């Protein structure tokens, strides 16, 4: 790397990291319910080697019961929780580090397949990309998937020349199974098709591919057993090294097209993918800001142009080694498209695997234009920097205020206050989250906000946070006021103000906290 290019590399990386660290842990304020679930399971693992339910070293979390969660992000949280203690910064640091690492990986892949200058261009696109920026600042388990896949992808490219990297890539591809359930039908087709090409073109020997299959299978085996246990209805498999749990209430298989095929659903999946990735219509606010989309709307022509030109260049390439490397990137993109087609009406986080190859295609389109028309290239870069500036302005102001509702700020503050009032032994906590009703969400957010010890939750002890309390199920009651509610003259009720009219008893307000009310039954 020449001195000037080295300076640009470090300038992009350090600036991108600095911006991602600005207000880290405070924006988004509060905690997302899936973050909270991953955090309490990670805390349980760090203290007892189990999830919050007491399952020993699970290969997959029971989490919400009806919907499970992948485990790798929670396992990555453990050292940060050990060092920093239980809190939002420790919970979000693994995703931030993975995201910063993926910027470097995009540079390395770009340099490997194209050139130093192209690598810097695509790294710059990642650094200012809205999707990449937003997902780096909070910990949703599935958002680890594209980063681990990208690492495996880069090692795969290296492995075509030095075989030790090939087997390392299989370890990383195996780890994707613990990032997101979609990996099962994303990673395997990618590897099978690419292996067939490499054998056909004599880039890999059959025995080398078989070694890859062995390494991959060993790493992915616990998750494969989880799938087998739940597909065939077997009992939970417990080993000294991991547990493959049976989850009878799971509904996740309903999201996979080829398990419930219809042409109508295929068409709806295609439209959802097109809206999400190309047209960039509004998604959930924690995934993308409506005015900018996950990729910026100005990227649409460059993505289309880049994909068309890259595909054309790939098919006319004569050098087998060069073509094999570049074909992998094309396969990366097709893998994302495949995921969009077979996954139920994807949103941004469900199809996150597609954004890295789309950034490459976008970069390729800009690269072709800039080489032919330098001034236009400078204009395009300036336009992207302007978009990034506007995006940051919106993210740190309007978004920071708006996201507080979806990240449960008011509820977290109210339940912490209720739990701190030691006068009341029993708490009755609403299922009203300020933006939706959900009893399970109320419980997991309470466990996070009040730092409830997993041993106390499992009722192995009556002590949590240094306090001796009633057993968990006697102290914490989660209520939905749309149904008849238990009346307890000695209990403390945490109610959303909009629910006061639903109460069937007289009450006395103890304290008002924003839109939440602490009250007791009137005498």
């Amino acid at each position: 790397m020449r001195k000037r290019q080295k300076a640009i590399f470090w300038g992009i990386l350090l600036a991108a990291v600095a911006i991602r660290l600005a207000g880290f842990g405070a924006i988004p304020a509060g905690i997302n319910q899936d973050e909270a679930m991953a955090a309490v399971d990670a805390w349980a693992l760090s203290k007892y080697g189990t999830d919050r339910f007491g399952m020993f070293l699970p290969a997959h979390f029971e989490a919400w019961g009806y919907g499970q969660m992948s485990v790798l992000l929670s396992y990555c949280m453990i050292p940060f929780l050990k060092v920093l203690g239980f809190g939002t910064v420790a919970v979000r640091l693994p995703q931030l580090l993975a995201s910063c690492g993926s910027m470097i990986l995009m540079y390395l892949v770009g340099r490997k397949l194209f050139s130093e200058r192209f690598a810097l261009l695509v790294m710059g696109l990642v650094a200012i990309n809205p999707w990449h920026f937003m997902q780096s600042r909070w910990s949703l388990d599935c958002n680890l998937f594209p980063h681990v896949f990208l690492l495996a992808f880069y090692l795969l490219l290296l492995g075509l020349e030095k075989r030790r990297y090939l087997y390392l890539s299989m370890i990383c591809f195996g780890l994707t199974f613990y990032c997101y359930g979609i990996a099962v039908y994303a990673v395997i087709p990618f590897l099978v098709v690419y292996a067939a090409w490499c054998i056909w073109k004599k880039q890999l020997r059959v025995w080398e591919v078989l070694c890859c299959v062995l390494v991959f299978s060993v790493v992915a085996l616990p998750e494969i057993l989880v799938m087998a246990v739940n597909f065939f209805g077997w009992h939970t498999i417990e080993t000294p090294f991991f547990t493959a749990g049976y989850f009878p209430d799971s509904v996740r298989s309903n999201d996979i097209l080829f398990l419930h095929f219809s042409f109508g659903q295929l068409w709806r999946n295609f439209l959802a993918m097109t809206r999400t990735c190309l047209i960039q219509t509004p998604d959930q606010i924690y995934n993308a800001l409506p005015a900018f989309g996950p990729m910026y709307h100005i990227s649409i022509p460059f993505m289309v142009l880049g994909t068309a030109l890259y595909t054309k260049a790939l098919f006319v390439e004569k050098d087998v080694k060069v073509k094999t490397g570049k074909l992998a990137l094309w396969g990366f993109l097709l893998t994302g498209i495949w995921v969009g087609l077979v996954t139920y009406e994807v949103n941004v986080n469900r199809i996150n695997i597609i954004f890295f190859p789309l950034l490459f295609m976008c970069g390729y389109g800009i690269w072709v234009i800039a080489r032919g028309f330098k001034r236009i290239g400078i204009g395009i870069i300036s336009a992207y920097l302007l978009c990034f500036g506007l995006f940051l302005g919106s993210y740190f102001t309007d978004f920071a205020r708006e996201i507080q509702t979806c990240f449960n700020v008011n509820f977290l503050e109210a339940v912490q206050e209720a739990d701190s009032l030691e006068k009341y032994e029993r708490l009755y906590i609403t299922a009203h989250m300020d933006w939706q009703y959900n009893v399970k969400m109320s419980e997991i957010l309470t466990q996070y906000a009040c730092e409830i010890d997993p041993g106390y939750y499992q009722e192995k002890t009556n002590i949590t946070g240094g306090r001796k309390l009633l057993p968990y199920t006697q102290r914490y009651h989660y209520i939905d006021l749309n149904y008849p509610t238990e009346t307890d003259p000695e209990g403390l009720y945490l109610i959303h103000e909009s629910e006061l009219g639903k109460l069937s008893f007289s009450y006395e307000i103890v304290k008002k906290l924003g839109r939440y009310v602490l009250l007791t039954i009137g005498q």
Side-chain angles (χ1 to χ4, degrees):
M1 189 188 301
R2 287 181 291 181
K3 189 174 182 179
R4 181 186 174 192
Q5 292 168 336
K6 187 175 183 179
I8 295 173
F9 170 87
W10 285 108
I12 293 172
L13 181 62
L14 293 175
V17 171
I19 294 170
R20 282 158 174 77
L21 284 172
F24 183 74
I27 304 174
I31 199 82
N32 173 269
Q33 60 275 7
D34 286 318
E35 273 189 299
M37 179 68 77
V40 296
D41 278 328
W43 198 32
L45 285 166
S46 72
K47 298 187 72 171
Y48 304 109
T50 71
D51 67 2
R52 70 189 184 106
F53 296 107
M55 182 182 289
F56 176 71
L57 295 181
H60 207 88
F61 287 136
E62 181 176 349
W64 302 100
Y66 58 86
Q68 291 72 58
M69 285 181 62
S70 300
V71 299
L72 186 57
L73 185 58
S74 290
Y75 280 99
C76 290
M77 290 177 189
I78 292 173
F80 299 98
L81 293 173
K82 288 283 191 182
V83 174
L84 301 175
F86 190 79
T88 306
V89 171
V91 168
R92 290 177 175 173
L93 267 174
Q95 186 66 25
L96 175 68
L97 293 174
S99 299
C100 293
S102 67
M103 280 189 285
I104 299 173
L105 287 170
M106 288 290 281
Y107 166 82
L108 293 173
V109 172
R111 188 176 68 176
K112 181 74 177 169
L113 294 179
F114 301 97
S115 68
E116 188 81 44
R117 290 187 175 183
F118 179 85
L120 292 171
L121 170 63
V122 78
M123 182 185 181
L125 286 176
V126 176
I128 64 174
N129 176 259
W131 163 77
H132 191 273
F133 181 89
M134 293 184 71
Q135 58 80 39
S136 72
R137 294 173 60 89
W138 66 291
S139 286
L140 182 63
D141 62 315
C142 65
N143 277 338
L144 192 61
F145 176 41
H147 305 294
V148 178
F149 189 99
L150 182 63
L151 174 58
F153 179 81
Y154 176 61
L155 291 171
L156 177 64
L157 296 179
L158 295 181
L160 295 174
E161 299 172 0
K162 297 180 180 179
R163 293 298 184 258
R164 63 180 180 273
Y165 294 113
L166 183 66
Y167 306 121
L168 285 175
S169 78
M170 292 302 112
I171 293 174
C172 293
F173 277 122
L175 289 176
T176 62
F177 274 39
Y178 306 96
C179 297
Y180 197 13
I182 280 174
V184 175
Y185 56 87
V187 174
I188 292 177
F190 171 81
L191 291 177
V192 168
V193 173
Y194 195 63
W197 168 271
C198 289
I199 291 173
W200 179 36
K201 294 299 181 179
K202 299 180 180 179
Q203 299 301 297
L204 292 174
R205 299 181 181 90
V206 173
W207 71 266
E208 290 173 327
V209 172
L210 292 176
C211 287
C212 288
V213 172
L214 177 62
V215 173
F216 174 84
S217 299
V218 168
V219 176
L221 178 62
E223 181 65 17
I224 293 171
L225 284 176
V226 171
M227 290 184 288
V229 163
N230 287 277
F231 184 80
F232 295 108
W234 298 342
H235 294 297
T236 293
I237 297 175
E238 299 180 17
T239 78
F241 308 105
F242 65 89
T243 302
Y246 173 57
F247 310 117
D249 298 324
S250 176
V251 297
R252 289 302 191 196
S253 63
N254 296 335
D255 294 339
I256 305 173
L257 179 69
F258 47 77
L259 295 181
H260 307 275
F261 183 81
S262 76
F263 285 105
Q265 190 58 57
L266 176 63
W267 176 245
R268 289 190 290 274
N269 290 353
F270 171 77
L271 291 178
M273 176 179 62
T274 303
R275 289 193 298 266
T276 299
C277 303
L278 185 61
I279 302 173
Q280 304 178 64
T281 55
D283 197 275
Q284 298 289 348
I285 190 172
Y286 46 74
N287 283 330
L289 301 187
F292 302 94
M295 298 277 293
Y296 297 122
H297 296 99
I298 63 169
S299 297
I300 295 173
F302 304 122
M303 285 191 289
V304 173
L305 177 65
T307 301
L309 294 177
Y310 186 85
T311 303
K312 178 182 178 182
L314 182 64
F315 277 92
V316 300
E317 178 63 59
K318 301 299 182 183
D319 188 306
V320 174
K321 286 188 176 181
V322 173
K323 189 168 188 173
T324 298
K326 292 189 175 182
L327 186 67
L329 180 56
W330 200 59
F332 196 167
L333 176 63
L334 292 180
T335 298
I337 295 172
W338 163 254
V339 166
L341 291 175
V342 301
T343 306
Y344 180 82
E345 299 179 23
V346 293
N347 61 1
V348 167
N349 58 269
R350 284 191 166 201
I351 199 172
N352 52 29
I353 188 65
I354 203 171
F355 291 111
F356 283 135
L358 279 180
L359 282 163
F360 273 114
M361 295 302 119
C362 182
Y364 192 78
I366 295 171
W367 179 250
V368 171
I369 293 172
R371 283 193 301 176
F373 307 93
K374 188 174 180 180
R375 290 185 178 179
I376 294 178
I378 294 172
I380 293 171
I381 293 172
S382 300
Y384 268 98
L385 290 175
L386 175 61
C387 287
F388 186 51
L390 294 171
F391 166 78
L392 291 178
S394 179
Y395 181 89
F396 286 105
T397 55
D398 295 340
F399 170 82
R401 289 188 294 270
E402 190 173 349
I403 198 61
Q404 292 186 20
T405 299
C406 292
F407 275 56
N408 310 293
V409 169
N410 293 329
F411 176 83
L412 294 168
E413 293 174 349
V415 78
Q416 283 177 328
E417 179 66 20
D419 194 55
S420 70
L421 300 178
E422 297 184 6
K423 173 183 176 182
Y424 304 97
E425 289 191 313
R426 291 181 294 276
L427 302 180
Y428 296 83
I429 302 168
T430 180
H432 195 309
M433 295 295 98
D434 220 7
W435 60 290
Q436 66 170 293
Y437 261 88
N438 192 308
V439 172
K440 286 183 177 289
M441 189 188 302
S442 171
E443 180 174 23
I444 201 63
L445 290 173
T446 297
Q447 290 184 33
Y448 180 88
C450 302
E451 299 185 21
I452 293 175
D453 188 279
Y456 175 72
Y457 171 69
Q458 296 168 32
E459 299 196 347
K460 294 178 179 178
T461 176
N462 281 3
I463 298 175
T464 179
R467 297 185 298 166
K468 187 174 182 180
L469 304 171
L470 290 176
Y472 176 83
T473 52
Q474 294 181 35
R475 175 169 173 78
Y476 296 96
H477 304 265
Y478 303 95
I479 57 175
D480 184 344
L481 289 174
N482 291 311
Y483 301 95
T485 302
E486 179 181 355
T487 56
D488 182 354
E490 297 182 356
L492 180 67
Y493 289 76
L494 170 60
I495 306 296
H496 193 268
E497 64 179 8
S498 64
E499 299 176 298
L500 291 175
K502 298 179 180 179
L503 296 178
S504 59
F505 51 81
S506 60
Y507 56 85
E508 294 179 1
I509 294 178
V510 175
K511 196 169 188 178
K512 197 169 187 302
L513 301 158
R515 300 190 67 190
Y516 287 91
V517 179
L518 299 180
L519 56 85
T520 59
I521 293 179
Q523 300 299 321

